[in-house]
Amino acid sequence: MPKSRPPTIADVARHADVSIATVSRVLNGTTPVQADKADRVRLAMEELQFVPRHAARVLASKRTNTIGLLLPEISGDFFSPMLKGIEAAAHEAGYDLLVHSTQQVEAARRRLGEHNTDGLLIFTNSLAPSELHRLHSFNFPVVLLHQTPPESLDIPVIAIENKDGAAMLIDHLIKEHGRRHIVYLRGPEGHEDSVWRERGYREALEVHNIGFDSELIASGGFDDEEAFTAIQGLLAEGIDFDAVFAGDDDAAIGAMRALKMAGHRVPQEISVVGFDDVPFARYLSPALTTVRAPIEQVGREAVRQLTRLMNGEHAETLTLMRTELVIRESCGCLSSGTNGQEESTRR
Amino acid sequence: MPKSRPPTIADVARHADVSIATVSRVLNGTTPVQADKADRVRLAMEELQFVPRHAARVLASKRTNTIGLLLPEISGDFFSPMLKGIEAAAHEAGYDLLVHSTQQVEAARRRLGEHNTDGLLIFTNSLAPSELHRLHSFNFPVVLLHQTPPESLDIPVIAIENKDGAAMLIDHLIKEHGRRHIVYLRGPEGHEDSVWRERGYREALEVHNIGFDSELIASGGFDDEEAFTAIQGLLAEGIDFDAVFAGDDDAAIGAMRALKMAGHRVPQEISVVGFDDVPFARYLSPALTTVRAPIEQVGREAVRQLTRLMNGEHAETLTLMRTELVIRESCGCLSSGTNGQEESTRR
DNA sequence: GGAGTTGTTGAAAGCGTTTTCAGAAAGCGC
DNA sequence: GCGCTTTCTGAAAACGCTTTCAACAACTCC
């Protein structure tokens, strides 16, 4: 009882009557140790309530066993499932997770960059390209989420199949509901997801021999309000359309509101579809037809690729996660009771 | 160019022609350093792209500058804003954030417990009481979120004003809408929030001299489906009621569905109110009247109390964050356009 | 002009692990 | 039995910082 300091590996060694090297070995399982000694060590650790100092291990071994997650901001329906996937996969792989919402890159770099982390997960553009270059220049493990690297640096990317998803949606509107004048509400300027969704939109039109009409493109900003305004604008201009692909679910809400307010019936007169399948999509009335992205899987996959990199293996340059059509009511498909049952098509 | 190893404090010292102690001092600002030397040091750090090894600092200083967050699972509308508050406050206070969703307590303890973290934030019951005792026994800084400590250990707690919020809601239903037979759907067994909400419910009834009727209490599990079933049950039994306090917003959705399916009009015949004000509450039809909890603030406050503890100061034993009534349509108040404008009463 | 002060500095002792290295013990083939 | 591996083990050297300690210089005050 005399000493009050928390036990160190040396205390354990003394207690078990072995060297500290041996204790370290049973702790890490790096080298076989005689069974009886190993047992003594384990017992001693138990009795002394020994908890190894992480910092000391890192310093000595030069491996931090930690991965850093850098994101622009914590919010929205995207964030929670993605973090869930990342957290789970990271811990399964034996890594701890350091989370940094990037405001001051400098601070983040100091703590999350090289030396202090074994690898970095970077969501959208939360890190300056120059930093990306720097890290890449000495092969620091980095994986990008929902963002392609600048200037074709070969940094692995995980993203979702925006193009396919959008094409499925548009295809459905055309084939099942005979829509031909479909509005597309773009997301924020420079948003990669938006660009790909638009590409899917165009390709689907082409497949069905429907000409692209720039009058049908407006800016929805992936945002409720902005989409609301955009649709009001289109209506005011007297543009003729029979469906709206809102870019994402938030914008779909705004679009629906604007249409209803103007006295148009959704989906009888005009179909509205979103993208993302956020939790409340099913609770809208009419329930929203949209595309579901496997966000949690994106997180897991990102960690998987990152661990590869950290192990010196080769990682996939681009991983596109499949998206899935979620058909509800807002496209014009029939509601199946108030329960909002849904049909979904894999692709 | 000869050496390829990343620069250490020694390299910086050599480069700036000072001792490593001096470099350390300008790095930490612990002791004044002559201006010209300090400049040389800063210049050297810049030129060498020096990034201090976190582990070495921790080992030498015995302060990890890291706080750990332990939670049962990452999900739901609760999580995202709370983490946002925690993350922001932690970094503002100069701490890093280690996130652990607790599956195996053992692993979590090893990495998050004493020595490896300066303090711990614990959400609901993600840590065994015995561990709590252990940590408390040597004064390890811990703050609990939405959970009161076992056996009156004096561990600081941050929670929201469930009772007041519920009482405001019930009061509103009675005073503004003349409801007198109000159902309460309990949350999961043993859920503290649920217990307090029920207490608020009862007190509000009492204030208005309405007797408590146990027939009006059912189990909603804070869950869509379970609430749906519960309301169907009440209807089947022929219980008479004119309002439902669903316990939380998820349950409110289920309750509304069940009522509509049975042909009851909400809110004309029966009012429905929730709790939490999750993002989609405003998009339901009718838009949900509920109570908003300042979740992000809870996170910030938790960090604030924890930093106090870590600085050896005294922390508030119990912090109850104010809740706020959010009146929309589902209680019977008039809709103000499709826009879902809302009125809110502070308390 | 001497005795305190005050301000700044470097040397060196840790901090608690992992890992290298060489040695001891044990097993093996003949 | 005698060399040779193979296993296991401990001593000791890192790992890269912070912090204590003593020293030095420059002031300040009588």
Side-chain angles (χ1 to χ4, degrees):
Chain A
M1 306 292 104
K3 44 178 47 190
S4 67
R5 281 172 43 269
T8 72
I9 198 174
D11 297 319
V12 176
R14 207 170 309 125
H15 206 80
D17 195 29
V18 296
S19 72
I20 63 170
T22 299
V23 176
S24 172
R25 289 193 264 259
V26 352
L27 202 52
N28 299 290
T30 42
T31 303
V33 167
Q34 277 193 358
D36 61 327
K37 289 195 182 179
D39 286 343
R40 290 211 310 272
V41 169
R42 270 186 283 269
L43 185 65
M45 293 200 293
E46 183 57 36
E47 287 181 355
L48 266 39
Q49 294 257 39
F50 170 69
V51 176
R53 242 56 112 240
H54 184 248
R57 308 180 87 166
V58 171
L59 188 57
S61 69
K62 308 187 138 299
R63 306 186 60 255
T64 69
N65 255 285
T66 300
I67 74 183
L69 171 61
L70 203 57
L71 10 81
E73 67 165 335
I74 296 175
S75 71
D77 305 286
F78 230 75
F79 175 73
S80 182
M82 191 165 81
L83 183 71
K84 181 176 185 171
I86 291 174
E87 200 273 345
H91 285 128
E92 278 164 22
Y95 288 91
D96 285 306
L97 220 214
L98 217 42
V99 177
H100 235 282
S101 136
T102 176
Q103 297 311 341
Q104 348 75 319
V105 182
E106 190 52 25
R109 185 185 128 192
R110 291 200 116 59
R111 182 58 158 87
L112 292 191
E114 56 254 38
H115 323 323
N116 296 328
T117 248
D118 291 342
L120 232 41
L121 251 28
I122 300 184
F123 185 58
T124 62
N125 29 241
S126 45
L127 195 58
S130 67
E131 260 303 283
L132 236 35
H133 268 100
R134 205 178 62 79
L135 292 171
H136 183 258
S137 72
F138 50 92
N139 274 307
F140 189 76
V142 170
V143 167
L144 263 26
L145 286 92
H146 288 245
Q147 174 203 15
T148 49
E151 301 159 31
S152 66
L153 286 187
D154 61 329
I155 301 178
V157 174
I158 319 286
I160 59 169
E161 249 302 2
N162 282 302
K163 201 180 72 169
D164 272 22
M168 288 189 275
L169 219 38
I170 302 300
D171 187 71
H172 177 83
L173 288 176
I174 297 172
K175 272 197 353 214
E176 305 299 326
H177 303 290
R179 307 305 191 185
R180 301 191 60 88
H181 304 286
I182 306 174
V183 166
Y184 174 60
L185 296 184
R186 282 190 178 130
E189 193 67 36
H191 198 299
E192 281 188 26
D193 287 334
S194 175
V195 172
W196 286 103
R197 287 172 198 176
E198 179 166 344
R199 216 160 294 185
Y201 163 84
R202 290 190 184 220
E203 288 187 10
L205 291 183
E206 211 162 305
V207 166
H208 291 279
N209 286 312
I210 300 177
F212 173 76
D213 179 355
S214 64
E215 276 199 327
L216 295 177
I217 306 295
S219 180
F222 285 179
D223 176 76
D224 182 4
E225 287 304 323
E226 196 169 334
F228 180 82
T229 313
I231 294 295
Q232 283 196 319
L234 292 178
L235 292 172
E237 289 179 47
I239 308 242
D240 185 42
F241 58 93
D242 51 18
V244 177
F245 170 28
D248 84 341
D249 291 350
D250 277 311
I253 290 173
M256 277 205 217
R257 267 179 33 220
L259 291 172
K260 286 185 192 168
M261 189 171 288
H264 294 282
R265 291 183 309 151
V266 177
Q268 293 85 343
E269 297 171 29
I270 301 182
S271 302
V272 173
V273 297
F275 203 111
D276 285 348
D277 193 28
V278 298
F280 62 72
R282 69 181 59 208
Y283 299 123
L284 296 175
S285 29
L288 192 66
T289 288
T290 183
V291 169
R292 184 181 303 146
I295 308 177
E296 191 176 330
Q297 291 305 316
V298 169
R300 300 193 85 96
E301 189 58 27
V303 172
R304 213 169 70 92
Q305 299 297 337
L306 187 61
T307 52
R308 278 202 194 173
L309 241 35
M310 294 188 296
N311 293 333
E313 302 165 23
H314 181 73
E316 219 57 61
T317 304
L318 175 62
T319 308
L320 277 184
M321 305 297 287
R322 287 261 156 76
T323 46
E324 184 186 334
L325 201 53
V326 177
I327 296 178
R328 298 207 179 88
E329 307 164 3
S330 67
C331 56
C333 284
L334 279 181
S335 156
S336 41
T338 326
N339 200 333
Q341 253 195 59
E342 64 201 47
E343 169 198 342
S344 50
T345 316
R346 282 220 155 259
R347 171 98 184 260
Chain B
M1 310 293 104
K3 43 178 51 189
S4 67
R5 284 172 40 270
T8 72
I9 197 174
D11 297 319
V12 176
R14 207 170 310 124
H15 205 80
D17 195 27
V18 296
S19 72
I20 62 171
T22 300
V23 175
S24 172
R25 289 193 264 258
V26 351
L27 202 52
N28 300 289
T30 42
T31 302
V33 167
Q34 278 193 357
D36 61 328
K37 289 196 181 178
D39 287 343
R40 289 211 312 270
V41 169
R42 271 187 282 269
L43 185 65
M45 294 201 292
E46 184 56 37
E47 286 181 356
L48 266 38
Q49 295 258 40
F50 170 69
V51 176
R53 243 56 114 238
H54 184 247
R57 309 179 86 166
V58 172
L59 189 56
S61 68
K62 308 185 136 305
R63 306 185 61 255
T64 69
N65 254 286
T66 300
I67 75 184
L69 171 61
L70 203 57
L71 10 80
E73 67 165 336
I74 296 174
S75 72
D77 306 286
F78 229 76
F79 176 73
S80 182
M82 191 165 82
L83 184 69
K84 180 175 186 172
I86 291 174
E87 200 274 345
H91 285 129
E92 278 164 22
Y95 288 91
D96 285 305
L97 221 214
L98 217 42
V99 177
H100 236 283
S101 136
T102 176
Q103 298 310 343
Q104 348 76 319
V105 181
E106 191 52 25
R109 184 185 129 193
R110 291 201 116 59
R111 182 58 158 88
L112 293 191
E114 55 254 40
H115 323 322
N116 296 328
T117 248
D118 291 343
L120 232 40
L121 251 28
I122 300 185
F123 186 57
T124 61
N125 30 240
S126 44
L127 195 58
S130 66
E131 260 303 283
L132 237 35
H133 267 101
R134 205 179 62 80
L135 292 171
H136 183 257
S137 73
F138 50 91
N139 274 309
F140 189 76
V142 170
V143 168
L144 264 25
L145 286 92
H146 288 245
Q147 175 204 14
T148 50
E151 301 157 33
S152 66
L153 284 187
D154 61 329
I155 300 179
V157 174
I158 319 287
I160 59 170
E161 248 303 2
N162 283 300
K163 200 180 73 169
D164 272 22
M168 288 190 276
L169 218 39
I170 302 301
D171 188 72
H172 177 83
L173 288 176
I174 297 172
K175 272 197 352 215
E176 305 300 326
H177 304 289
R179 307 305 190 185
R180 302 192 60 88
H181 304 286
I182 306 174
V183 166
Y184 174 61
L185 296 183
R186 283 190 177 128
E189 193 66 36
H191 199 299
E192 280 190 27
D193 286 336
S194 176
V195 172
W196 286 103
R197 287 172 199 176
E198 180 166 345
R199 215 160 294 185
Y201 163 84
R202 291 191 184 219
E203 287 187 9
L205 291 183
E206 210 162 303
V207 166
H208 291 279
N209 285 313
I210 300 178
F212 173 76
D213 180 354
S214 64
E215 278 200 324
L216 295 176
I217 306 295
S219 180
F222 285 178
D223 176 76
D224 183 4
E225 287 304 324
E226 197 169 335
F228 181 81
T229 311
I231 293 296
Q232 284 195 320
L234 291 179
L235 292 172
E237 288 179 48
I239 307 241
D240 185 43
F241 58 92
D242 52 19
V244 176
F245 170 28
D248 83 340
D249 291 350
D250 278 311
I253 290 174
M256 277 205 216
R257 267 179 34 221
L259 290 172
K260 284 185 192 167
M261 188 172 289
H264 294 283
R265 291 184 308 151
V266 178
Q268 293 85 343
E269 296 172 30
I270 301 183
S271 303
V272 173
V273 297
F275 203 111
D276 284 349
D277 194 27
V278 298
F280 62 72
R282 68 181 59 206
Y283 298 123
L284 296 175
S285 28
L288 191 66
T289 289
T290 182
V291 169
R292 184 180 304 146
I295 308 178
E296 191 176 329
Q297 291 305 317
V298 168
R300 301 193 83 97
E301 189 60 26
V303 172
R304 214 168 69 93
Q305 299 297 338
L306 187 62
T307 51
R308 278 201 194 172
L309 241 35
M310 295 187 296
N311 293 333
E313 302 166 25
H314 181 72
E316 219 57 62
T317 304
L318 175 62
T319 309
L320 277 184
M321 305 297 287
R322 287 260 156 77
T323 46
E324 184 186 335
L325 200 53
V326 177
I327 296 178
R328 297 206 180 91
E329 307 164 4
S330 68
C331 55
C333 284
L334 280 180
S335 154
S336 41
T338 325
N339 200 333
Q341 253 195 59
E342 64 201 45
E343 169 198 341
S344 49
T345 317
R346 282 218 155 259
R347 171 97 185 258

